[in-house]
């Protein structure tokens, strides 16, 4: 009989506040409480957490929602929010895909896939209908959110795209005093790239109209555009910031006049500024009122610059000129007096040096290296507020006062107002330990120990510790013991959140510790080449200043075992007879616990053994090493049963199930590696059962629950993940087949990408935004299959209908079982349903899979759909795309000419009918709107006030709408 195993799947992921893969976005949701006008909250922060997007309440530090698409395991690399519809977010991923999320429902509305590598930046246009995406593959793609397709791909940059911004010139016919209206039909796109260029693209004509070198010293890493679009700042290496003016009036005229003014320049260089930090600048954010700019590099600081007003600049220029005049006067004894008088009135702000206009304001020092900043805009807030996401799993809010009226040059005092930090560690988790009832999890990192509730993933306690390397719960689950890099043992009381004791135990780092199976002692192994045994003792300690005593736990050393090299791991056998010790010289020594005499020497690994585990029946020991191998040994004679090539990198942890319920699971074990995977193995058959993928960084620590119901792992990606056992059985043959399929699909996808690049290299600046993926290939195959079956069935049914006209009692034909299974569906309806099920964004790519020979059958069905007016939009979309794609062959084909001729008249009639219907509906809506306006009667009571004072005096308005 074939043996089956239980399948494990990731059930939870926690411990992440924000990962450094993506930017952070602030929204004002939740700021105002219902029924109040005063700000009560600090808004929400949307941050990437590996493959998820987390929404945090900034003030309370609570997690409000998490967005995760089950079909995507790639990291989030860019987040962008639509200004027009605040609930719509575009999220870019590491594999080049983009998903549009609805914040209200927390679900994906549209998926796009057009880039070959990670998305680096996203930007919505002024209407919220178009989205521009830039990626590491140097392409820019413009997407249409209404028709859910990629419009075109812009090529011209030779490096990773670092920033995108849509520009909309204002319409020329604005009235005096009114806010100028943006011309949303004439968008321009500003882009910067690591190739040090800044480009201006005309989106309507799909070409680049201007290119400049943005940075004089290498790559351009960031761009910020002012709120009104009149200027921008680009940044690169060595803290250099270049300021540009944007000629929006010139752009408006350029969009109206085609083919004129070829030498016109719209980007004007204004000058260069230099930051205090000389590191690479990674982000520039203009405040919504445009008088402050936040600039940050990869260090622990955000520099805030201030844009002076026109009056301030004039005063500064006047002061400088006065000084120059005095200097010249002193030098020439009054000869230059006349010249100075002439230039008195000619202070022009536009001629001022840029360093006089944009000046450093304050440098905010942060708790970690800055990854991204976002300005907060809370009405009624007196101070500037800046949301900062850092590389060490932290979100902070800093408050900076506005420029004061006083003339002091002291930098303003800033404060850290809020922080989201309790939900994760600042550094990588190096040790995990589960309590005896599997309800609590202890995770220890450099400087922090956290206790988690495994079921709810809430952080129960946060304690400060040293650089932790190993940890364990003591019996009773009230105390956690931690071994540190400094060689100390620290004891923490969970209930009291206090450090009970710190013992200087070893001279070197304590790499490993384990509690004895009887729960009365603990053993520690260190880099000082010793293994020490510690007993638990309760001592009565006097309370200072009183005569009373209090019981206290003490660790008392009772034995020591010296070995020849650094100790990396120690492990008791469950029957507490043997102790295994692995050392830096690649060997494992097994000692008797009672006499500490050497029992076995296990030789075989080529590099040091990093971890060990002994099965619950004390018969097998599994060792894992930096040589990427797992070895299984018998504990009776020390013979090596099997050496398994386990992972692609060093294997950090290994673990048998401590107390298996089922006897078959006694020799199942788990291994976790730096190659980002966890694997389950059968220690009797020496076979890999399952591979868990999900982490995006090296896995440092792993803990197996008491009965093997779940496994917990902690990784460099800052996440702690729980892998739970499911009821689904797993068979080894099926698992191997699935792995082979995945391998085939990945090689197929890479070969498709190569074909795409070879095809695209010969094309121009704007190309089609298509990308073949496995899903589009399978969708294309489904269409081809449906056409093939449908054509046969169509001919069969037509022949039967002809015969039935002569013989009314004729039995129905024997159709394909598929149509019968789908409720006796007609062939034309089945083909249409197949097309309708393909997501709109993938439809064009799926249709490209069809060969030209499939066109006659497709057009046969399209003719039927046009005639019956079924799903006209989809039908037209498919028809026009195929006509455009295969235009030359269709023109040359006689067979298709008759088909298209008959289709044309039907389609024209259908579309004109639909046009009339839409026009009628629009007219009706306008009529209803006019009626509502006419019937809206507003009575003003208790108020008689002039139009100018309307804003300052409260009115009571009663509106009656019929």
């Amino acid at each position: 009989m074939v043996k089956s195993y239980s399948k494990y799947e990731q059930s939870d992921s926690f411990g992440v506040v924000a990962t450094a893969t993506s930017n952070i976005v602030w929204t004002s949701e939740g700021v105002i409480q219902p029924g109040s006008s005063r700000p009560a909250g600090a808004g929400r922060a949307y941050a990437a957490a590996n493959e998820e997007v987390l929404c945090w309440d900034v003030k309370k530090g609570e997690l409000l929602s998490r967005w995760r698409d089950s079909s995507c395991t790639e990291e989030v690399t860019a987040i962008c929010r639509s200004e027009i519809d605040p609930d719509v977010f575009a999220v870019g991923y590491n594999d080049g895909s983009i998903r549009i999320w609805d914040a209200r429902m927390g679900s994906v509305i549209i998926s796009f896939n057009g880039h070959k590598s990670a998305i680096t930046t996203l930007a919505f246009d002024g209407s919220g209908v178009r989205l521009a995406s830039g990626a590491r593959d140097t392409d820019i793609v413009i997407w249409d959110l209404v028709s859910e397709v990629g419009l075109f791909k812009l090529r011209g940059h030779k490096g990773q795209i670092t920033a995108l911004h849509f520009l909309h010139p204002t319409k020329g016919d604005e009235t005096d005093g009114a806010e100028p209206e943006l011309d949303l039909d004439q968008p321009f796109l500003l882009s910067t790239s690591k190739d040090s260029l800044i480009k201006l693209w005309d989106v309507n004509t799909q070409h680049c109209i201007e290119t400049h070198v943005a940075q004089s010293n290498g790559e351009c890493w960031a761009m910020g555009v002012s709120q009104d679009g009149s200027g921008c700042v680009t940044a690169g290496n060595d803290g250099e910031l270049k300021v540009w003016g944007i000629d929006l009036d010139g752009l408006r005229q350029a969009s109206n006049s085609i083919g004129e003014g070829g030498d016109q320049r719209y980007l004007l260089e204004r000058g260069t500024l230099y930051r205090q930090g000389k590191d690479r600048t990674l982000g520039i954010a203009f405040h919504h009122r445009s008088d402050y700019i936040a600039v940050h590099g990869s260090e622990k600081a955000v520099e805030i610059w201030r844009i002076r007003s026109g009056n301030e600049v004039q005063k500064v220029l006047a002061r400088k000129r006065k000084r120059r005049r005095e200097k010249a006067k002193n030098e020439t004894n009054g000869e230059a007096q006349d010249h100075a008088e002439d230039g008195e009135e000619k202070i022009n702000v536009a001629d001022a040096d840029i360093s006089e206009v944009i000046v450093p304001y304050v440098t905010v020092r942060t708790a970690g290296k800055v990854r991204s900043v976002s300005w907060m805009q809370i009405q009624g807030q007196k101070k500037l507020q800046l949301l900062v996401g850092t590389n060490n799993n932290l979100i902070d809010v800093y408050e900076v006062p506005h420029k004061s009226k006083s003339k002091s040059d002291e930098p303003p005092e800033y404060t850290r107002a809020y922080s989201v930090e309790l939900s994760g560690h600042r550094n990588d988790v190096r040790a995990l330990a589960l309590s005896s009832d599997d309800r609590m999890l202890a995770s220890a990192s450099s400087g922090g120990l956290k206790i988690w509730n495994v079921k709810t993933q809430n952080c129960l306690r946060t304690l400060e510790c040293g650089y932790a390397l190993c940890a364990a719960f003591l019996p009773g689950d009230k105390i956690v013991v931690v071994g540190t890099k400094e060689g100390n043992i620290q004891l923490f009381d969970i209930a009291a959140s206090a450090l009970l004791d710190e013992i200087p135990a070893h001279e070197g780092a304590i790499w490993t510790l384990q509690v004895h199976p009887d729960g009365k002692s603990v053993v520690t192994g260190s880099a000082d080449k010793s293994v020490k045994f510690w007993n638990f003792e309760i001592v009565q300690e006097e309370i200072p200043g009183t005569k009373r005593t209090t019981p206290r736990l003490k660790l008392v050393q009772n034995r020591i075992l010296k070995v020849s090299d650094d100790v990396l791991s120690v492990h008791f056998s469950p029957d507490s007879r043997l102790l295994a010790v692995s050392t830096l010289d690649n060997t494992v020594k097994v000692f008797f616990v009672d006499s500490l005499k050497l029992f076995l020497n296990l030789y075989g690994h080529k590099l040091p053994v990093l971890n060990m585990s002994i099965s619950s029946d004390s018969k097998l020991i599994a060792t894992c090493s930096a040589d990427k191998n797992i070895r299984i040994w018998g504990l009776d004679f020390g013979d090596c049963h099997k050496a398994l090539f386990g992972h692609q990198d060093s294997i950090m942890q290994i673990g048998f199930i401590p107390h298996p319920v089922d006897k078959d699971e006694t020799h199942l074990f788990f291994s976790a590696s730096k190659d980002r995977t966890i694997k389950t193995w059968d220690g009797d058959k020496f076979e890999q059962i399952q591979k868990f993928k999900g982490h995006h960084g090296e896995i440092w620590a792993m803990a197996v629950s008491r009965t093997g119901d779940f496994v917990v792992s902690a990784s460099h990606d800052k996440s702690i993940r729980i892998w739970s056992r499911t009821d689904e059985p797993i068979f080894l043959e099926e698992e191997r087949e699935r792995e082979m399929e995945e391998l085939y699909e990945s090689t197929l996808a890479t070969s498709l990408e190569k074909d795409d690049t070879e095809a695209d290299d010969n094309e121009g600046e704007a190309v089609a935004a298509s990308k073949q993926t496995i899903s589009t290939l399978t969708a294309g195959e489904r269409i081809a299959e449906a056409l093939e079956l449908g054509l046969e069935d169509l001919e069969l049914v037509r022949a039967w209908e002809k015969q039935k006209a002569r013989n009314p009692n004729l039995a129905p034909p024997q159709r394909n079982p598929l149509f019968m299974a789908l409720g006796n569906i007609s062939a034309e309806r089945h083909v249409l349903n197949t097309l309708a099920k393909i997501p709109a964004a993938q439809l064009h790519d799926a249709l490209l899979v069809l060969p030209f020979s499939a066109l006659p059958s497709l057009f046969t069905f399209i003719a039927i759909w046009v005639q019956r007016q079924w799903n006209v939009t989809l039908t037209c979309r498919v028809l026009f795309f195929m006509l455009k794609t295969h235009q030359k062959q269709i023109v040359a084909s006689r067979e298709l000419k008759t088909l298209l001729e008959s289709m044309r008249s039907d389609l024209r009639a259908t579309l004109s009918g639909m046009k009339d219907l839409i026009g009628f509906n629009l007219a009706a809506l306008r009529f209803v709107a006019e009626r509502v306006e006419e019937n809206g009667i507003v009575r003003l009571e208790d108020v008689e006030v002039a139009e100018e004072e309307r804003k300052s005096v409260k009115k009571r308005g009663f509106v009656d709408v019929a």
Side-chain angles (χ1 to χ4, degrees):
M1 180 160 163
V2 178
K3 188 176 178 185
S4 72
Y5 303 87
S6 294
K7 187 176 186 180
Y8 284 81
E9 282 181 355
Q10 184 184 320
S11 55
D12 291 294
S13 169
F14 57 98
V16 183
V17 177
T19 45
T21 53
S22 163
N23 60 316
I24 193 165
V25 172
W26 180 86
T27 70
S28 59
E29 294 165 273
V31 170
I32 305 293
Q33 294 292 337
S36 164
S37 60
R38 288 175 60 201
R44 294 178 185 177
Y46 289 86
N50 298 316
E51 71 277 11
E52 303 178 313
V53 176
L54 302 183
C55 171
W56 295 97
D57 183 315
V58 176
K59 192 171 186 178
K60 295 178 187 169
E62 282 178 10
L63 179 63
L64 299 172
S65 67
R66 57 196 320 151
W67 303 343
R68 179 162 188 232
D69 187 358
S70 54
S71 64
C72 179
T73 56
E74 297 290 333
E75 292 173 293
V76 173
T77 54
I79 306 172
C80 180
R81 180 181 182 227
S82 170
E83 295 290 325
I84 303 301
D85 187 346
D87 291 314
V88 172
F89 287 79
V91 178
Y93 294 83
N94 199 38
D95 60 352
S97 62
I98 300 164
R99 286 167 180 76
I100 309 295
W101 290 84
D102 186 331
R104 283 166 301 204
M105 300 182 290
S107 59
V108 179
I109 319 169
I110 312 168
S111 291
F112 293 128
N113 204 337
H115 289 282
K116 297 181 187 70
S117 55
I119 305 291
T120 51
T121 178
L122 295 164
F124 282 97
D125 76 340
S127 62
V129 172
R130 291 190 202 88
L131 173 74
S133 62
R136 284 198 189 139
D137 61 8
T138 74
D139 292 340
I140 300 166
V141 180
I142 309 291
W143 307 92
D144 187 333
L145 301 191
V146 178
S147 58
E148 301 184 12
V149 291
L151 298 174
F152 48 87
K153 193 181 276 186
L154 297 171
R155 323 195 118 176
H157 283 293
K158 294 285 179 280
Q160 166 185 320
I161 308 298
T162 52
L164 294 171
H165 194 281
F166 276 100
L167 295 172
H168 295 279
T170 53
K171 288 183 179 173
D173 53 355
E174 74 257 16
T175 52
D176 294 334
E179 189 116 330
E181 196 184 339
L182 295 180
D183 188 358
L184 299 176
D185 298 331
Q186 289 291 349
F188 293 87
L189 184 69
L190 209 53
S191 67
T192 58
S193 160
K194 271 169 68 172
D195 61 6
S196 83
L197 299 178
I198 178 168
K199 284 178 178 279
L200 183 62
W201 306 83
D202 187 332
V203 176
N204 285 359
T205 59
Q206 302 178 17
H207 76 287
C208 177
I209 54 176
E210 196 171 338
T211 305
H212 292 276
V213 176
Q215 299 312 120
S216 57
N217 53 3
E219 298 154 333
C220 177
W221 279 95
M223 175 178 70
V225 181
S226 67
Q227 209 69 10
D228 57 359
S230 62
C232 70
V233 178
T234 58
N237 300 332
D238 300 337
E240 180 185 81
L241 306 174
K242 204 172 263 193
V243 185
W244 305 82
I246 302 172
D247 182 5
L248 288 174
D249 291 338
L251 281 177
R252 186 179 73 231
Q253 288 157 9
S255 59
N256 295 335
S257 57
I258 298 166
E260 296 171 21
D263 300 331
Q264 181 72 33
R265 286 268 172 245
Y266 308 108
L267 282 175
L268 314 162
E269 204 174 316
R270 289 291 311 274
T272 307
L273 305 167
Y274 289 94
R275 286 173 49 224
Q276 286 177 345
K278 290 288 171 249
D279 56 322
R280 171 191 301 159
T281 306
L282 293 180
I284 301 168
F286 276 77
H287 193 264
H288 64 294
R289 283 199 299 277
S290 292
D291 45 0
Y292 292 93
I293 310 169
V295 182
H296 71 87
S298 52
E299 295 303 317
K300 297 182 178 181
V302 180
E303 292 179 29
I304 297 177
W305 294 66
R306 193 172 67 84
I307 303 172
R308 285 173 168 159
S309 65
N311 293 341
E312 280 184 277
V313 176
Q314 269 186 333
K315 281 178 190 169
V316 170
L317 292 178
R319 207 179 305 137
K320 282 202 168 180
R321 200 184 52 191
K322 191 177 174 186
R323 278 196 207 127
R324 275 203 308 274
R325 202 189 305 147
E326 283 172 3
K327 195 175 176 185
K329 193 175 176 183
N330 295 340
E331 283 172 7
T332 57
N333 295 327
E335 285 176 24
Q337 186 71 29
D338 305 333
H339 298 293
E341 299 282 320
D342 300 342
E344 185 67 48
E345 318 70 46
K346 294 179 185 173
I347 297 177
N348 189 358
V349 179
D351 299 338
D353 188 46
I354 197 68
S355 58
E356 307 289 352
V357 182
I358 302 175
V359 290
Y361 182 54
V362 64
T363 300
V364 176
R365 302 281 169 201
T366 57
K369 289 186 175 178
V370 181
R371 169 59 182 88
S372 160
V373 299
S374 178
W375 286 105
M376 297 164 64
Q377 307 165 18
I378 299 176
Q379 284 182 343
Q381 181 62 41
K382 300 284 190 296
K383 293 181 175 177
L384 298 169
Q385 287 187 309
L386 193 66
L387 183 75
V388 179
T390 60
N391 280 6
N392 62 346
N393 203 19
L394 190 64
I395 297 174
D396 281 332
V397 175
Y398 291 91
E399 288 190 342
V400 183
H402 280 275
K403 173 87 170 85
S404 61
K405 296 284 187 284
S406 64
K407 291 185 179 180
S408 66
D409 290 334
E410 289 282 310
E413 293 285 324
Y414 60 87
T415 52
R416 182 163 121 168
Y418 307 113
S419 181
V420 183
E421 60 182 344
L422 292 178
S423 307
H425 285 273
R426 301 290 75 78
N427 298 301
D428 288 5
V429 174
R430 291 289 173 161
L432 290 174
L434 283 162
S435 61
S436 60
D437 58 2
D438 289 340
R439 287 186 178 182
M440 286 192 293
L441 172 75
S443 61
S445 70
S446 168
L449 170 71
K450 283 182 182 282
I451 311 295
W452 307 85
N453 180 329
V454 172
K455 200 171 183 184
T456 61
Q457 292 92 51
N458 288 339
C459 181
L460 307 174
R461 294 280 184 274
T462 299
L463 303 152
E464 278 187 29
C465 67
Y467 195 132
L469 297 174
C470 48
F473 276 93
L474 296 191
D477 298 334
K478 291 189 169 64
I479 292 169
V480 174
V481 57
V482 172
T484 68
K485 200 175 182 179
E486 296 82 34
N488 299 333
I489 298 174
Q490 295 181 324
L491 291 171
F492 292 95
D493 184 335
I494 299 170
S497 294
L499 174 66
L500 288 180
D501 202 0
E502 183 162 1
I503 306 151
H506 290 269
E507 268 110 56
I510 299 176
W511 287 109
T512 175
L513 63 81
Q514 203 203 358
V515 179
H516 193 284
D518 67 4
K520 292 177 183 171
S521 63
V522 65
V523 62
T524 57
S526 161
D528 66 2
K529 306 180 185 177
S530 69
V531 177
K532 291 187 180 180
F533 297 79
W534 308 81
N535 282 352
F536 303 143
E537 288 187 11
I538 305 291
V539 295
Q540 295 294 333
E541 204 172 66
E542 238 181 61
I543 299 171
T546 67
K547 289 184 179 175
R548 283 180 298 165
T549 59
T550 176
R552 190 143 172 240
L553 177 76
K554 276 269 189 210
L555 290 192
V556 180
Q557 183 188 331
N558 68 338
R559 289 193 291 174
I560 184 165
L561 170 67
K562 292 275 186 188
V563 288
S564 58
D565 219 325
D566 294 16
V567 177
L568 296 179
S569 179
V570 295
H571 204 284
F572 283 107
S573 63
D575 61 7
S576 60
R577 196 170 66 91
L578 303 171
L579 174 71
V581 178
S582 83
T583 52
L584 201 60
D585 58 5
N586 312 349
T587 62
V588 175
K589 296 177 175 67
V590 183
F591 298 90
F592 289 107
V593 172
D594 47 9
S595 63
L596 292 186
K597 285 207 171 130
L598 184 64
F599 171 47
L600 297 169
N601 259 327
L602 309 179
Y603 298 109
H605 282 290
K606 296 179 182 68
L607 287 168
V609 172
L610 301 176
N611 199 251
M612 305 176 293
S613 184
I614 298 175
S615 63
S616 57
D617 58 4
S618 302
K619 286 181 180 172
L620 294 184
I621 177 168
T623 58
C624 65
S625 160
D627 64 8
K628 309 173 191 173
N629 283 313
I630 295 167
R631 282 177 181 263
I632 301 164
W633 319 74
L635 266 182
D636 37 12
F637 305 111
D639 54 326
C640 180
H641 290 188
K642 188 75 173 172
L644 300 163
F645 178 71
H647 289 267
Q648 305 298 320
D649 208 334
S650 302
I651 305 169
M652 301 304 290
Q653 295 260 316
I654 196 163
F656 281 97
I657 297 171
H659 299 280
V661 179
D662 193 345
K663 262 198 171 162
D664 291 346
E665 295 182 342
T666 309
H667 292 166
L668 297 189
F669 63 91
F670 300 82
S671 64
S673 161
K674 278 191 181 177
D675 68 1
R676 309 177 178 190
T677 61
I678 297 173
K679 293 183 179 180
T680 53
W681 305 84
D682 186 330
D684 293 328
K685 290 188 170 183
F686 316 123
E687 282 193 278
Q688 179 192 321
I689 301 167
Q690 199 189 343
K691 186 178 182 180
F692 311 159
K693 287 182 183 170
H695 279 294
H696 301 283
E698 301 94 344
I699 299 172
W700 296 121
M702 178 184 76
V704 184
S705 69
R706 191 178 171 80
T707 55
D709 284 341
F710 63 88
V711 179
V712 188
S713 58
S715 158
H716 175 63
D717 66 12
K718 301 285 191 288
S719 70
I720 301 170
R721 293 171 195 250
I722 298 177
W723 312 83
S724 300
R725 182 191 284 154
T726 61
D727 298 333
E728 194 182 331
I730 202 170
F731 298 97
L732 295 183
E733 283 182 16
E734 285 180 13
E735 197 63 15
R736 295 299 87 79
E737 275 176 27
R738 198 176 56 77
E739 283 174 13
M740 291 302 289
E741 272 175 25
E742 279 178 11
L743 189 68
Y744 168 69
E745 284 186 358
S746 64
T747 51
L748 185 65
T750 47
S751 65
L752 282 173
E753 279 178 18
K754 278 178 191 164
D755 294 348
D756 285 356
T757 45
E758 283 162 17
D760 289 348
D761 282 346
N762 314 326
E763 297 181 27
E765 202 169 55
V767 295
S770 66
K771 179 190 174 186
Q772 286 292 2
T773 60
I774 299 298
S775 52
T776 59
L777 277 181
T778 49
E781 285 165 9
R782 282 203 303 275
I783 299 171
E785 198 180 319
L787 286 174
E788 200 178 318
L789 285 174
L791 207 62
E792 281 176 25
D793 190 72
L794 204 63
E795 286 164 4
L796 183 73
V797 171
R798 278 179 180 170
W800 173 74
E801 279 171 352
K802 271 184 189 173
Q803 287 174 340
K804 197 178 179 200
R806 292 197 294 270
N807 179 6
N809 297 330
L810 190 70
Q814 188 65 42
R815 298 176 69 202
N816 190 300
L818 175 73
F819 297 113
M820 309 307 285
L822 292 168
N824 210 3
I825 192 171
S826 67
E828 51 270 33
R829 178 59 78 182
H830 172 61
V831 176
L832 187 61
N833 286 353
T834 307
L835 281 166
K837 279 176 191 164
I838 298 167
Q842 294 178 9
L843 184 62
H844 286 178
D845 290 327
L847 289 169
L848 286 174
V849 176
L850 295 180
F852 181 70
S853 57
L855 238 58
S857 48
L858 180 64
F859 282 178
T860 307
F861 284 106
I862 289 176
I864 297 169
W865 302 333
V866 168
Q867 215 167 8
R868 299 184 187 174
Q869 298 192 4
W870 285 356
N871 201 339
V872 179
T873 45
L874 179 66
T875 306
C876 290
R877 198 173 152 193
V878 173
L879 174 64
F880 298 150
F881 179 74
M882 295 314 268
L883 288 174
K884 202 161 56 175
T885 310
H886 299 285
Q887 186 208 358
K888 288 176 183 169
Q889 292 100 313
I890 290 170
V891 169
S893 165
R894 283 186 179 177
E895 180 196 357
L896 291 175
K897 191 179 177 188
T898 49
L899 255 177
L900 290 170
E901 280 294 329
S902 60
M903 212 189 295
R904 190 172 65 167
S905 54
D906 287 340
L907 191 61
R908 190 159 279 180
T910 304
L911 289 178
S912 63
M914 290 192 83
K915 190 179 170 188
D916 292 345
L917 181 68
I918 291 167
F920 183 81
N921 287 344
L922 278 172
L925 283 171
R926 283 199 200 100
F927 175 70
V928 171
E930 284 168 12
R931 286 296 298 273
V932 168
E933 275 177 30
E934 282 171 20
N935 292 340
I937 305 158
V938 180
R939 300 195 299 276
L940 296 179
E941 293 190 355
D942 313 331
V943 177
E944 282 177 320
V945 73
E947 193 68 23
E948 290 83 21
E949 297 169 359
R950 191 170 60 188
K951 287 175 187 171
S952 59
V953 180
K954 283 186 181 175
K955 283 184 176 181
R956 248 190 303 161
F958 299 95
V959 182
D960 297 337
V961 179

